[in-house]
Amino acid sequence: MIHVRKLKKTYSDLQQGEFVALNGIDFDAMPGQIYGLLGPNGAGKTTALRILSTVLKPTSGIATINGYNVVTDPAQVRHQIGFVSTNTAIYDRMTAWEIIRFFGLLYGMSADELQIRMEAIFDRFQMNNIRHVLGSAMSTGMKQKVSIARAIIHDPPVLIFDEATSGLDILVAREVLKTIERLREQGKCILFSSHIMSEVHRLCDQVAILNRGELLAEGTISELSDRYEQPDLEELFFRLIANHEQNREPVNALV
Amino acid sequence: MKWSNVSLIYCRELRDQLRDRRTLFTVLILPLLLYPLMGISLLQVSQFMREHPTRIWLIGADHLPEAPALLIGQQINPELLDPRIRDLLHVETNEEDDSRFQGLIEPFADQTPQPVSEMIDRLIRRGMQHHHADLAVIVPNPNPISPPDTSGGDLQNRILLFRNSASDKSNIAADRFKAALGKWQAQITGSKLREYQLDPQLLTPVAVIETDVASRQNRSAALWSKVLPLIIVIWCLTGAFYPAVDLCAGEKERGTFETLLSSPARRDEIAIGKWLTVMSFSIVTSLLNLISMGFTGFLVASRLGSGMAPAMGIGVPPLACVGWLLLALLPISALFSAVAMAAASFARSSKEGQYYLVPLMMISLPLMMLPMLPAARLDLGTSLIPVSGLMLMLRGLIEGKYQECIPFAGPVCAVTLIGCWLAVRWVVRQFNSESVLFRSSERFGIATWIRHIMRERHDLPSIGHAVLCGIVILVLKFFVGTMIEPPANWGAFSKQTMIILIATVGTPAVLMAIVLTRKPLQSLKLRKSRFSLIGAAFLLAFCFHPLFTWITSIVIQLYPPTTEMATTQRLLDNILSGSPGVWAIIAVIAIAPAVIEELAFRGFILSGMQSIRSDFKAIILTSILFGVAHAVFQQSIVTFFVGCILGFIAVRTGSILPCIAYHAVHNSVFAFIACYGPSLVDGPFGWLFSCPDGIHVTYRFWPSAMLIGLGGMLLLWVWEQGSPNSPATALWKRNRHRQESFTFWTKRILPPPEEH
């Protein structure tokens, strides 16, 4: 499970000076649940997921995965998660089999255990035809399959998907979403970030809407619909973002 | 660190690189093709490297004697020429020219040589162009070998040569003709001596016979020992750089680095795995280059001429030479791979990474060239210089000087290992740095940058500001130092010293403190200090002075001063002897530097360095800059240690006032010793000083040891009494406290890790 409390991240930039990418967000994601992070570009979704995957360090606040703190126990956290992102590419000069084997060994799996697990994953994802294909020769869909296979090779309890269907055609995207659903059925805790409403609507049990590093709303889709009296998720999203932007303007004018 | 992860990453990177066509071509294929192609080009070009004929326009050929003959027909006497150029020196004589230039050449016959007038010069030049001649020769005397007329004018007969020094062909013609003239003159002298019934051998009473006693193997080793280390070092760096850029910047660019960072591999495991891969490629590149170059070179040399290769000492390198090279490949590659990785890890793209190759090469080049100098030899001093020490050691081992090399194997290996360790640590640091891993292209503009500086101003300087200030000081010192003339007297010396100190050291630090920080006085550590601390610093300088005198003498033994440095020192002594008095010297070389240098180094720079939250590192880094700012290498080492003491005082007291006191006393004592010299021994300080050789004053051992012990106690007292709440120290301690409280609350709020 994932606990996030008052998570804050600031960057220093030549153009904008110091800016806040995440401004003290809180959320919890439970096993057997897909938790959706929804927000426009620059909302802070990727920053939050990078912190949870221990690639970035938070400026302040607390984030734990299965009880392990991302700042104090990064090594343990990495064993608990599988991370798939648009930024986590696969190696061009390695075959699908080699890539997944490499990461399996890094996770400390024994050769026998790894062989059995890899055979099962290659069968399940129907990847046997690309077993010996180099990353550079794979299509985008194939690459995404390999990425997911790489992320679940060590059977982690928590999976983090950052815009996992971005740039995929509709057939492959559908297949990826089905895979994520299957993983939920296995009791995994899944954090899923996207800006595609239909995907979030279809997959997520809980949703958090982010804008400019702030968490605007959190709950199940039906809860959010009731709370904001807006049955359509897309319309709800637009209203929340628009209201937030409007409220920010007087503050900016004062600053 | 898990070595199984390092091994996994190493194997993956190696396989990845071996599948990269570009790397394979640069590292493996290029060396094999490059040298044969260069060999073919050399053989093709060699046909254009033959000797070219040259043409001489000779005026007054009729004046030349028949015996011994300089000219035979239109050719120089073949006996006077090297057989290789007999057909390459053509002479043109023309009776018409002789009569035309008669009036011109007559004045040269019996007058003292005058500079050739512009008119004659122009005429001769035009004549040379007309005759397509490379050299014009005038024989003005009717009989140049007859005894000259000594009644007036010149005692010597003369032949005048006119050459165009801007033309290589003309210079070659002149050299060839002068060689022939030399032999001709020897023939004339010989015949004259015989005429007077004297033995011509009187001119060469001793015959010099030179024999090279070095064996062919030694000759070959001597040649290879100079050439091979340089080649191997250059190729180690080149072979390391491209894989390093691909493995660091390339991975960031391709997006695979984030995948690896989110895996269980630790940053140091990733860095070491990649470093070992780069090292493997560096070794293979060097080896292939050596093999390919050696084989091609030998073939080309044997093709160019059977006698040429042995004459040049080129032959198959001795087996021991190859063995030492193979052994040295490991540390050289390790060092350069680590350095290349350190540069490449900072780059955000392969393109940016490749820009770093040239500066890296430029920095390494002086270290690579130093061992090539004939005077360079391996001693404790040179063995401590990275790269150079290693190359000198390799050179010595190839030449078979094992006795000279083995004592320095320890320092050479230690320096190389430290270099590798520092570079790999830097790489790990870069892999941990978010600003390096995820920085994107930022549009740069002066206005944006200035806005950024003003917006981001903090109370105290950052480490970036400190480093910038140090670099500005070094650059300004370099330019001002090279532009001004050395002072001739005390007046000029004192003015120059003050101007240089204010312009190059004080002004940058004060300006940067005002512009870049919100609290300039705190940034410069201009705070009140207790008188007891200032007094302690004053005494401390006295007590530690013998220690620094000993360090100076050790440094001078390690790195003896050059002749130029000794000359400069003598000039300085002369200037100081012309000063109005010792107090003037103290004002200029003790008090002024103490105030200005402390403002810059222990003030602005140390405050900036303290932002790294480690007083120890801040003091060391500031002292390195302080040392480098003193241009003389030997002085830099000593000032580094002085800088450490000053840094310690500044950090503990939070003020530069005690540092100024220490610095002023330290420099003043040196000035006193320089001024009073041996007379100190007879004065009230006789218990402290001795003068064994009657010239140089040294400290007596036991009194000095006691003083140093007293200094140690004073230092402890400063440690105890000094208030550590200087603005910079307090700031980073506040931050550290925040960090600790963050960890403290993290541990308490969160539930313990679940068992899995």
Side-chain angles (χ1 to χ4, degrees):
Chain A
M1 70 194 282
I2 303 170
H3 289 286
V4 171
R5 289 290 174 274
K6 300 198 182 307
L7 197 64
K8 186 171 180 179
K9 179 71 185 174
T10 53
Y11 293 108
S12 186
D13 180 56
L14 191 64
Q15 301 284 337
Q16 305 170 49
E18 194 167 89
F19 77 94
V20 182
L22 279 179
N23 196 7
I25 62 166
D26 303 310
F27 65 87
D28 292 311
M30 299 298 164
Q33 191 186 58
I34 299 180
Y35 191 95
L37 282 182
L38 197 59
N41 290 336
K45 303 186 297 290
T46 301
T47 302
L49 301 188
R50 276 180 171 164
I51 290 172
L52 290 173
S53 63
T54 73
V55 174
L56 289 181
K57 283 197 171 71
T59 308
S60 65
I62 292 156
T64 65
I65 288 181
N66 268 3
Y68 295 107
N69 189 307
V70 293
V71 178
T72 52
D73 298 310
Q76 288 297 334
V77 169
R78 285 177 207 146
H79 277 279
Q80 304 299 317
I81 61 163
F83 182 43
V84 179
S85 151
T86 42
N87 300 311
T88 51
I90 60 164
Y91 294 111
D92 280 348
R93 302 191 283 260
M94 284 174 93
T95 65
W97 186 266
E98 287 167 348
I99 291 169
I100 294 164
R101 189 165 191 278
F102 169 66
F103 282 98
L105 291 171
L106 273 185
Y107 281 109
M109 296 171 78
S110 70
D112 295 339
E113 183 193 0
L114 188 58
Q115 180 74 22
I116 296 165
R117 176 98 181 130
M118 282 177 72
E119 293 288 357
I121 287 177
F122 271 73
D123 286 342
R124 194 201 306 165
F125 288 178
Q126 296 170 347
M127 295 198 325
N128 284 313
N129 57 334
I130 57 163
R131 200 179 263 223
H132 302 299
V133 175
L134 289 177
S136 57
M138 289 179 199
S139 65
T140 318
M142 287 176 190
K143 283 182 181 172
Q144 199 64 343
K145 270 187 184 178
V146 175
S147 274
I148 296 173
R150 189 259 309 150
I152 62 165
I153 185 67
H154 57 298
D155 196 18
V158 175
L159 284 157
I160 298 171
F161 291 93
D162 182 16
E163 302 192 356
T165 55
S166 171
L168 299 181
D169 68 48
I170 189 134
L171 294 175
V172 181
R174 200 180 158 86
E175 208 174 323
V176 169
L177 296 180
K178 273 187 183 170
T179 308
I180 295 172
E181 279 176 332
R182 275 203 300 270
L183 289 166
R184 171 175 54 189
E185 284 159 20
Q186 290 169 19
K188 308 283 183 199
C189 171
I190 297 169
L191 194 57
F192 179 82
S193 105
S194 178
H195 51 250
I196 303 170
M197 302 299 144
S198 59
E199 286 181 358
V200 175
H201 202 278
R202 175 185 156 181
L203 279 181
C204 298
D205 305 300
Q206 287 263 335
V207 175
I209 297 175
L210 290 173
N211 187 44
R212 294 186 186 269
E214 286 181 25
L215 201 147
L216 305 184
E218 194 208 2
T220 63
I221 293 174
S222 57
E223 276 172 9
L224 290 177
S225 297
D226 293 344
R227 198 183 308 158
Y228 295 99
E229 296 173 349
Q230 189 54 254
D232 182 37
L233 179 64
E234 194 165 315
E235 197 56 38
L236 169 70
F237 177 78
F238 280 129
R239 280 220 184 151
L240 279 171
I241 301 294
N243 282 343
H244 186 240
E245 291 292 326
Q246 265 179 359
N247 292 336
R248 277 173 57 85
E249 271 169 23
V251 178
N252 286 344
L254 281 173
V255 172
Chain B
M1 191 167 60
K2 281 168 78 176
W3 283 100
S4 58
N5 281 354
V6 173
S7 153
L8 265 173
I9 292 166
Y10 170 71
C11 294
R12 194 214 78 75
E13 302 292 7
L14 201 64
R15 184 164 44 193
D16 193 78
Q17 290 300 305
L18 286 172
R19 284 178 183 168
D20 179 28
R21 271 180 299 177
R22 205 176 36 178
T23 310
L24 272 187
F25 180 78
T26 315
V27 174
L28 304 180
I29 312 293
L30 191 66
L32 295 176
L33 297 180
L34 182 71
Y35 295 102
L37 287 175
M38 277 172 63
I40 291 168
S41 312
L42 195 65
L43 288 173
Q44 293 287 336
V45 170
S46 66
Q47 62 180 312
F48 300 108
M49 290 164 68
R50 59 193 162 84
E51 300 261 15
H52 289 277
T54 42
R55 203 173 171 81
I56 297 173
W57 173 41
L58 200 147
I59 302 162
D62 291 349
H63 297 160
L64 289 170
E66 286 184 7
L70 178 65
L71 276 188
I72 298 177
Q74 293 284 310
Q75 293 287 332
I76 301 283
N77 183 356
E79 284 178 18
L80 304 175
L81 289 172
D82 189 306
R84 285 185 298 119
I85 57 160
R86 264 179 200 160
D87 299 327
L88 301 175
L89 199 60
H90 303 298
V91 181
E92 184 173 337
T93 55
N94 195 324
E95 283 179 13
E96 197 182 314
D97 282 340
D98 289 356
S99 57
R100 192 139 55 96
F101 280 86
Q102 193 59 46
L104 198 68
I105 61 178
E106 264 175 4
F108 292 112
D110 51 16
Q111 284 178 15
T112 310
Q114 296 289 329
V116 178
S117 77
E118 204 175 311
M119 188 196 72
I120 297 171
D121 189 21
R122 204 164 49 239
L123 279 172
I124 297 281
R125 209 180 313 142
R126 202 175 292 166
M128 283 168 74
Q129 278 171 2
H130 176 72
H131 291 284
H132 302 291
D134 303 306
L135 181 74
V137 179
I138 296 180
V139 187
N141 292 60
N143 184 2
I145 63 168
S146 64
D149 177 15
T150 54
S151 58
D154 200 354
L155 285 171
Q156 239 183 346
N157 294 308
R158 63 180 76 89
I159 289 178
L160 307 172
L161 305 188
F162 295 84
R163 70 166 171 172
N164 174 9
S165 65
S167 156
D168 286 342
K169 227 176 149 193
S170 181
N171 290 328
I172 291 170
D175 290 343
R176 286 173 179 173
F177 187 68
K178 278 195 281 186
L181 276 183
K183 285 187 183 172
W184 183 59
Q185 291 203 63
Q187 283 186 0
I188 294 168
T189 317
S191 64
K192 290 282 178 197
L193 287 171
R194 272 192 293 275
E195 207 175 291
Y196 294 111
Q197 296 181 335
L198 290 168
D199 185 356
Q201 287 202 344
L202 279 172
L203 290 175
T204 48
V206 178
V208 179
I209 299 160
E210 194 179 339
T211 309
D212 185 359
V213 293
S215 69
R216 195 178 158 192
Q217 196 182 5
N218 282 354
R219 279 206 300 271
S220 181
L223 178 81
W224 289 120
S225 70
K226 291 181 187 75
V227 177
L228 289 181
L230 183 67
I231 291 170
I232 216 164
V233 163
I234 289 174
W235 277 110
C236 273
L237 180 57
T238 315
F241 201 79
Y242 290 101
V245 168
D246 190 61
L247 291 183
C248 295
E251 270 218 43
K252 273 190 227 169
E253 209 171 22
R254 292 189 291 270
T256 48
F257 203 52
E258 201 172 327
T259 318
L260 194 58
L261 291 180
S262 61
S263 79
R266 284 166 38 153
R267 306 294 199 263
D268 49 359
E269 291 164 359
I270 297 172
I272 291 177
K274 284 176 183 287
W275 173 50
L276 292 175
T277 314
V278 174
M279 207 166 106
S280 305
F281 274 88
S282 170
I283 290 174
V284 172
T285 311
S286 303
L287 269 180
L288 285 176
N289 271 286
L290 275 177
I291 294 167
S292 179
M293 191 193 71
F295 187 65
T296 315
F298 189 70
L299 286 180
V300 170
S302 57
R303 174 85 185 270
L304 282 175
S306 55
M308 196 170 158
M312 288 168 67
I314 301 172
V316 180
L319 198 62
C321 162
V322 177
W324 287 121
L325 274 177
L326 291 178
L327 194 68
L329 255 180
L330 198 69
I332 295 175
S333 297
L335 183 61
F336 279 113
S337 303
V339 171
M341 285 265 297
S345 64
F346 188 69
R348 66 175 155 238
S349 66
S350 305
K351 195 176 165 191
E352 186 185 321
Q354 280 164 13
Y355 289 147
Y356 297 153
L357 177 62
V358 176
L360 193 63
M361 207 55 132
M362 296 301 285
I363 293 167
S364 313
L365 214 57
L367 298 176
M368 296 178 190
M369 298 309 290
L370 177 70
M372 301 288 288
L373 300 174
R377 63 186 196 88
L378 186 66
D379 51 31
L380 190 57
T382 50
S383 69
L384 294 175
I385 303 172
V387 184
S388 303
L390 197 57
M391 285 177 72
L392 279 169
M393 177 125 184
L394 179 59
R395 186 176 148 182
L397 291 171
I398 292 174
E399 286 171 357
K401 298 172 183 168
Y402 305 126
Q403 300 276 334
E404 291 175 27
C405 292
I406 284 166
F408 303 110
V412 168
C413 293
V415 167
T416 309
L417 278 175
I418 291 170
C420 291
W421 181 73
L422 287 175
V424 172
R425 268 200 61 151
W426 164 266
V427 175
V428 175
R429 204 185 159 93
Q430 299 306 302
F431 286 176
N432 272 315
S433 164
E434 291 169 12
S435 58
V436 173
L437 288 174
F438 298 109
R439 74 198 168 112
S440 54
S441 303
E442 286 168 340
R443 203 181 57 199
F444 184 80
I446 295 289
T448 319
W449 185 60
I450 292 171
R451 264 202 312 276
H452 174 75
I453 287 175
M454 298 311 287
R455 192 173 51 211
E456 294 294 309
R457 273 197 319 169
H458 291 285
D459 289 353
L460 298 172
S462 66
I463 183 167
H465 296 149
V467 173
L468 180 68
C469 182
I471 292 172
V472 168
I473 289 173
L474 292 181
V475 171
L476 284 176
K477 277 193 113 171
F478 172 76
F479 281 116
V480 174
T482 48
M483 278 191 294
I484 56 168
E485 288 291 315
N489 53 44
W490 169 256
F493 171 78
S494 54
K495 271 183 210 156
Q496 267 187 22
T497 308
M498 294 301 288
I499 290 168
I500 290 174
L501 277 171
I502 292 169
T504 65
V505 183
T507 309
V510 173
L511 276 181
M512 286 172 92
I514 294 168
V515 175
L516 300 176
T517 66
R518 291 200 175 108
K519 294 183 176 170
L521 289 181
Q522 288 190 9
S523 299
L524 294 168
K525 284 198 166 62
L526 278 171
R527 290 175 74 225
K528 280 182 193 167
S529 176
R530 292 197 339 247
F531 280 111
S532 56
L533 287 170
I534 297 174
F538 197 86
L539 277 176
L540 201 56
F542 274 116
C543 295
F544 276 160
H545 199 269
L547 179 68
F548 290 111
T549 310
W550 289 339
I551 292 176
T552 308
S553 60
I554 292 169
V555 170
I556 285 173
Q557 273 179 4
L558 283 176
Y559 305 100
T562 58
T563 333
E564 289 80 18
M565 282 161 62
T567 315
T568 313
Q569 185 61 46
R570 271 199 301 278
L571 285 173
L572 185 64
D573 291 343
N574 285 340
I575 288 170
L576 294 184
S577 63
S579 70
V582 71
W583 294 108
I585 296 175
I586 286 171
V588 174
I589 69 169
I591 294 171
V595 174
I596 296 169
E597 288 181 353
E598 290 315 306
L599 269 175
F601 288 97
R602 256 60 58 181
F604 188 80
I605 294 177
L606 184 60
S607 293
M609 292 291 182
Q610 280 182 282
S611 65
I612 57 176
R613 299 178 187 184
S614 161
D615 282 344
F616 176 74
K617 285 181 190 167
I619 292 169
I620 295 290
L621 290 172
T622 309
S623 305
I624 290 172
L625 276 176
F626 183 54
V628 175
H630 292 77
V632 181
F633 178 66
Q634 289 85 342
Q635 196 188 0
S636 297
I637 298 174
V638 183
T639 41
F640 165 77
F641 292 110
V642 179
C644 288
I645 299 284
L646 286 166
F648 174 84
I649 297 171
V651 165
R652 290 309 298 174
T653 61
S655 165
I656 56 164
L657 299 182
C659 302
I660 292 174
Y662 183 103
H663 197 148
V665 173
H666 177 87
N667 286 11
S668 302
V669 177
F670 267 115
F672 264 111
I673 295 174
C675 286
Y676 292 107
S679 62
L680 282 170
V681 180
D682 305 322
F685 294 103
W687 59 276
L688 185 58
F689 296 106
S690 67
C691 188
D693 57 359
I695 302 167
H696 298 103
V697 178
T698 56
Y699 279 99
R700 292 182 194 277
F701 181 78
W702 286 112
S704 306
M706 283 166 67
L707 272 181
I708 294 166
L710 185 64
M713 286 192 280
L714 268 173
L715 207 59
L716 281 176
W717 184 79
V718 171
W719 169 267
E720 284 295 319
Q721 295 292 312
S723 153
N725 58 350
S726 68
T729 317
L731 182 74
W732 78 254
K733 284 204 167 154
R734 262 206 310 278
N735 288 332
R736 189 175 65 174
H737 174 69
R738 197 185 299 158
Q739 188 71 27
E740 280 170 356
S741 63
F742 171 60
T743 318
F744 174 82
W745 285 110
T746 307
K747 283 181 179 162
R748 272 149 192 80
I749 291 169
L750 298 174
E754 290 167 20
E755 292 298 324
H756 295 284

